[in-house]
Structures are given as C-alpha cells and as structure tokens.
Amino acid sequence: MTRPLLSRPDDGPTHSADWWRHAVVYQVYPRSFADGNGDGEGDLTGIIGHLDHLARLGVDAVWISPWYPSPLHDGGYDVADYCAIDPRFGTLHQADDLIGLAHDLGLRVIIDLVPNHCSIEHPLFRRALAAGPGSSERDLFVFRDGRGADGAEPPNNWPAHFGGSAWERVVGPDGVPEQWYLHLFTPEQPDWNWSSPAVAEMFDDILRFWFDRGVDGFRIDVADACAKDMTLPDLPDDAGSGMSGLDKFPGHPYFDRPELERIQRRWRAIGDSYADTPQGPRIFVSEAYLGPTPRLAAFTAPGRLHATFNFDALLTEWTYSSQRAMIEATLAGYGAVGAPCTWVLGNHDQPRVVTRYGRRVTGSPYTSAGLGRPSPAGPGADLALGRRRARAATLLELALPGGVYLYQGDELGLPEVDLPPEVLQDPIWERSGHTRKGRDGCRVPLPWSGTRPPYGFSPEDATDSPWLPQPGDWAGLTVTAQEDDPDSFLTLWRTALRIRRQHAALGDGRLRWDPDAPDGVLGFRRDPGFACWTAFDTGPIDLPVGARVLLASTPLTGGKLGPDQTVWLAR
Ligand code: GLC
C-alpha cells in the first residue's frame, strides 16, 4: 500500500525527517478543487488529475480537507465514517492511488482529523440515540437532562459557534422529548465525549488506519476544543460568542483545557511509532483560533503536536507596525518551545486574501475573528490594491522562517465571491438568521482553463454546473491563462517557490532585522546572503547598494521599492 517516496530532481528537504518544519503545504478543499465525473462537485479523480499542478507549483505537501462520507451539513466537517471516502468523491482505492501518486511526485499528504464532533449520521451516534438515557452508548457523546421542571431548558448556556444554543433536544420514537446532546457547531455535529476511554481508543485506531495507508500527517480540526469540563458549568454572561480568540479565557469550560495535553501526547506517540517506516514519523498540525501566541505555542511544546496554524498572520492588518509586531511575537512564541512558525494567509473559513487586503480595514481583531466573519466581498474592495498587497504578503511570508500554508486558489489570486443568497450552503447563513453569509465566497470551484464557467473545473460533457456558481469574469484567472504570463500570480508563486527551495537561507531557521532598512520598510536578513524588504505606505525607496534583486512582488519602478511591494535580495 505504502509506496516509497521518490526524489524530485531539485529536492532534498521534503524527504528529510523534519520536512514539516519548513514545508509549503497546499490546502485542497475537495468539493471545489476539480470535478472528474461531471457532477459539478470536485472529487478524487479531479485531485489525481491535477496533482501535477501542485508539483509544478513547487509545494512540499498537500493537505486535503475532509473527504469522508458526510451529509455535508458543514462542508464535510460532519463526518459519518472516519475510515472511508464519501462516494460522491470516490473510493478508498482511489485514496490509496492518490497518496501513492502524490508520493511519487515528491508531495507529502496530510488529511483532516475531526475529533471534536462527528455527524448525526455516524452509526455510533445513531446507536446512542436508540439506546436511550444512561446507556454506555450515550456515554460516547455528551447527553444530559434539560433544566427546568420538564427538562425543557438546555442543560447550560453554552452557545453554538454558528448561532443558537449548543444543545439539541432529542425527541424519542414516541414523539416525547427527552435528553439533550451537546454540539459546539451545528445540531448535525454532536460532540464526542473525550473523557470516555472508548472515544480516545477509537481515534487511535483512526490514526493508524490512515497512517498504515501512507498518510504523512493530520491537520487537527478545532484542536483546542475536544476536552470539556464535564461538570458543564454555565459560561459567565460576558464570555462572548465562543469561537473567537480571546473569548477563550483561561479556565474556559471547553477551550484549551489542561486535559488536551494528554490527548495530544497520545497522538504524538502514535505518529512517532512510525519512525522506522520509509516516510519516517507522522506529523500533526493543529487548527485553533487561540491567543495570545504563547498559549497556542504550548500545543507545539516537545512531545505534543508538531506545528499549529498561525492565524495571527491571517488576521493582522497590513501595516508596518502591526506586521512587525506579529512576526516578532510569532518568532518569540514558537522559538521558546522550539517549534517552527507557520504563516497562513487563507483557508476555507476566511474571506479571500486579495479581497481582505483590498478593503480599508485589512485586519480583524482576535476577539472577533471567529469563523464566518462577514464576507468582505461586494462593493468597497479595491481588488487591484488587494492583489498588489497579497503579492507583497506572499513574498514576505515565504521569506520568513518556518512553513507556509497556502489555500487553493490563492496561488491564482482569486477574489472572494459575493454569492446570491439562494445558492448559499454554509450553515452559518441559516443559523445566523440570514445576517452572515458565511464562508461559501472562498469555496467557489477553481478555474482551470477556458473562457467561461465551468472554466475546466468539470469535464466538457459535464451533466451539472459547479455546486457554487463561478463568476463570469474569471477567464483571466484560470491556470491556463496565467501559466505563461510572467506577471501573473501563478508565475510569482512558482518562481518564489523555486527560489525558496533552492536557496540555503530560506525555510526553517532564523532572521535578523536589517538595520539598513529605512523607516516604514520591514527588512530582514537571513544567512547566507539573503534579504527581504517590504514597503507598506512608503516609497520610492533605494535598494541597498550592491544588492541584486532575486524577485519582486510587482515590477519595480526605476529600480526602486514602492508602496505595498516586497523584494527578495541577494546581499
Ligand atoms: C474548523 C473547520 C471549519 C468547520 C469547523 C467545525 O474550524 O475549518 O470549516 O466548520 O471546524 O468542524
């Protein structure tokens, strides 16, 4: 099943045991990547058929968002079977092929683990419902009697992240309401009870199932939430809405609980037990919107998880002082525990980076950074400005020490799409009472080729249109259109990744701030012989004497650095 990793000609780092410290990881959102069978939804045939895009781009790994059987109440993050592939995406056999092909191309494969909750269609949840109150089946989840005389009130005041209460009342087969169950997300996503040893053991088996098939690592969904205070105390009235950074106060009943450490160490031990296989130990990267930095960095202390998404990078406004402070805090926080930094500008939960950076307000405070922030699409975003800044930010993050996570389509500079309400599928739209459009605007199927929808996303003879409509003006954004254009986003990414892969100074390591950088220019040096300068609202600026330009985010005017530009220099 597991094929040996072949070397790429210019390779080396991808196959070292610490590849994860500096990897550039490409996120595939399967439903929107490429549709092989013409039903309007992406699938494994589509991913397999376009793996060469990732290899040509020059990334080190692919992270595939959930591909498991799911009724898709939350885009696949409602898992009905952790050890199978959703038939609409393909088969387990194809997953094996995909993993093998990726390895042949020199790409590591990370998949998604969703340990906080499953789907109401998971057989164990169905069994728990049928087994009734007090049963061992119900102990795998968090069932409780309601409050009030007839139990009609939820057991406590916890809110669900997408709106409403975190509790749903079960109605028995006789139509009589009985217990409630906990769901931190939608009612279709019941939370597992991680204080049950059976739950922990089941996830051990899930990890081994995929590691044995050759998967190189897992991205851990909502990694700060599995453990709960099982006395289920009410939240204080001023606790905020939950899924938002600093609302997660120390001692919170379900975020960043001390019990998490034991779970993380357990997973790490399983990953480490693969040390003697050709791929080496398997890795874990956590997803958690948790601040401040040292708190999240603790997840990556020795013996715990390998890395964690640095959402500060994604949320910080595009100004000199904010970016510099964010980078310093990140380097200090992760440096203190010996973990690599990661740099993240986008994912399937956040508005597209070119649109965010085209707005007047480019950042988002951690306290309101929850999932499904109001979509910034629509009038008001200056996309030309957003693209210029996103290009500058791309070179900045690729020059920083550590790894980079790239969301599909960001290598094409895709903007957020302002979708009409009738096509929206994100549960946030309904559960917010139609006040928040949610995350569909960054999940629109990718444009590969051609001049009109489906832009090569589906085959010519497709029976259905893409599951979310693509805009009519994306002809210039397709992979084919950008391929041979020296000024395109795609060319910038390919060139940057080629240089990054070859340059000894880039990837993991250290930086020192460049004393020669003028005011308002974020400049740092990395050894041997590399400097990165980013200008925010200053310029034109003379480059240091004797420096040779390796790459500029947009063409330099008169050889000088202008506002919202990054340049890589050999010094
Ligand atoms: C993570 C996922 C998001 C999902 C949520 C619940 O934040 O990235 O898409 O809705 O977890 O599983």
Side-chain angles (χ1 to χ4, degrees):
M1 219 174 296
T2 307
R3 297 202 219 167
L5 291 173
L6 300 184
S7 296
R8 275 199 271 179
D10 62 345
D11 199 18
T14 308
H15 303 303
S16 64
D18 63 352
W19 61 273
W20 47 274
R21 294 192 70 93
H22 45 72
V24 178
V25 183
Y26 184 100
Q27 180 189 355
V28 164
Y29 190 73
R31 229 179 151 190
S32 304
F33 185 70
D35 167 22
N37 67 1
D39 67 356
E41 296 194 55
D43 48 38
L44 298 199
T45 306
I47 301 175
I48 289 170
H50 290 81
L51 273 182
D52 61 332
H53 171 66
L54 275 58
R56 292 190 62 199
L57 191 56
V59 298
D60 303 297
V62 52
W63 149 37
I64 302 173
S65 280
W67 54 9
Y68 313 108
S70 166
L72 298 181
H73 289 292
D74 182 19
Y77 285 90
D78 46 324
V79 179
D81 182 349
Y82 291 85
C83 295
I85 298 292
D86 194 305
R88 82 180 84 195
F89 291 153
T91 63
L92 208 44
H93 184 67
Q94 282 180 307
D96 292 337
D97 281 350
L98 193 160
I99 295 164
L101 284 168
H103 287 167
D104 287 351
L105 290 167
L107 298 165
R108 299 275 183 168
V109 180
I110 296 173
I111 61 172
D112 229 296
L113 187 72
V114 189
N116 181 67
H117 46 263
C118 61
S119 155
I120 45 168
E121 293 191 10
H122 195 289
L124 291 179
F125 185 71
R126 290 191 165 162
R127 242 177 263 166
L129 284 182
S135 60
S136 57
E137 287 87 345
R138 283 207 174 175
D139 191 43
L140 299 179
F141 299 90
V142 187
F143 282 89
R144 289 293 185 278
D145 293 335
R147 294 206 272 211
D150 54 0
E153 300 295 321
N156 67 23
N157 69 355
W158 295 1
H161 300 314
F162 298 153
S165 165
W167 294 93
E168 183 77 3
R169 194 164 193 188
V170 179
V171 178
D174 48 5
V176 178
E178 39 122 314
Q179 284 192 304
W180 300 69
Y181 66 86
L182 178 69
H183 59 86
L184 290 185
F185 291 85
T186 71
E188 292 82 13
Q189 294 167 292
D191 280 39
W192 293 105
N193 169 16
W194 271 88
S195 67
S196 157
V199 169
E201 281 159 22
M202 181 185 73
F203 275 93
D204 291 352
D205 291 344
I206 293 166
L207 296 182
R208 292 198 185 95
F209 176 86
W210 289 105
F211 288 154
D212 289 346
R213 302 193 98 84
V215 158
D216 297 276
F218 278 96
R219 173 258 192 199
I220 310 286
D221 187 64
V222 223
D224 54 345
C226 296
K228 276 124 198 156
D229 177 346
M230 293 308 280
T231 67
L232 305 176
D234 271 338
L235 282 169
D237 290 339
D238 60 354
S241 61
M243 191 67 196
S244 50
L246 298 179
D247 285 351
K248 302 175 177 180
F249 55 86
H252 196 285
Y254 52 88
F255 280 125
D256 192 22
R257 306 275 315 157
E259 298 88 347
L260 281 177
E261 181 170 351
R262 197 169 29 85
I263 301 172
Q264 293 171 351
R265 289 186 182 279
R266 181 179 183 123
W267 291 339
R268 175 73 182 237
I270 295 175
D272 284 351
S273 73
Y274 286 79
D276 292 336
T277 61
Q279 283 152 270
R282 313 304 162 87
I283 67 109
F284 299 92
V285 55
S286 92
E287 185 237 20
Y289 289 80
L290 184 67
T293 312
R295 205 171 160 201
L296 185 57
F299 282 25
T300 57
R304 298 180 69 175
L305 307 178
H306 296 75
T308 184
F309 294 149
N310 172 18
F311 290 128
D312 289 348
L314 188 151
L315 300 169
T316 297
E317 60 177 347
W318 181 251
T319 63
Y320 168 81
S321 52
S322 303
Q323 291 286 324
R324 177 156 175 161
M326 178 274 292
I327 293 167
E328 281 179 339
T330 303
L331 295 172
Y334 292 91
V337 291
C341 300
T342 67
W343 308 99
V344 181
L345 289 180
N347 63 34
H348 65 292
D349 293 325
Q350 299 290 343
R352 286 278 187 189
V353 58
V354 300
T355 306
R356 283 199 326 262
Y357 281 171
R359 304 287 289 189
R360 194 175 50 77
V361 178
T362 49
S364 173
Y366 226 128
T367 44
S368 61
L371 298 180
R373 288 189 281 151
S375 168
D382 175 346
L383 288 184
L385 177 65
R387 288 207 171 91
R388 183 175 169 89
R389 288 175 170 168
R391 292 172 68 104
T394 297
L395 289 200
L396 171 59
E397 68 167 3
L398 287 171
L400 288 167
V404 169
Y405 284 80
L406 156 65
Y407 176 49
Q408 67 177 36
D410 281 351
E411 82 282 22
L412 304 175
L414 296 187
E416 183 80 0
V417 181
D418 193 19
L419 292 162
E422 62 276 12
V423 304
L424 296 177
Q425 305 212 7
D426 187 343
I428 288 177
W429 173 240
E430 287 302 327
R431 290 191 61 80
S432 70
H434 297 181
T435 56
R436 289 188 289 149
K437 277 191 158 180
R439 302 159 292 176
D440 290 323
C442 68
R443 299 176 178 178
V444 171
L446 291 193
W448 292 95
S449 58
T451 52
R452 49 196 160 82
Y455 301 110
F457 170 72
S458 298
E460 301 259 305
D461 57 351
T463 49
D464 293 295
S465 316
W467 70 281
L468 289 172
Q470 299 160 306
D473 60 357
W474 273 12
L477 295 175
T478 66
V479 172
T480 310
Q482 297 199 32
E483 197 125 46
D484 300 318
D485 175 356
D487 295 327
S488 72
F489 243 89
L490 182 58
T491 301
L492 179 74
W493 267 97
R494 282 186 181 166
T495 312
L497 290 180
R498 181 171 46 72
I499 296 173
R500 190 180 197 273
R501 183 173 276 276
Q502 290 166 349
H503 204 299
L506 296 178
D508 199 21
R510 295 170 176 279
L511 66 72
R512 58 201 156 89
W513 298 108
D514 193 338
D516 301 336
D519 283 352
V521 171
L522 189 68
F524 57 88
R525 299 179 72 158
R526 304 198 58 190
D527 293 327
F530 179 90
C532 176
W533 278 23
T534 300
F536 289 82
D537 48 10
T538 49
I541 286 157
D542 288 324
L543 296 176
V545 180
R548 182 167 56 85
V549 174
L550 296 173
L551 188 59
S553 56
T554 38
L556 301 177
T557 308
K560 293 175 194 276
L561 188 66
D564 299 313
Q565 274 192 310
T566 296
V567 68
W568 284 2
L569 302 167
R571 292 190 73 181

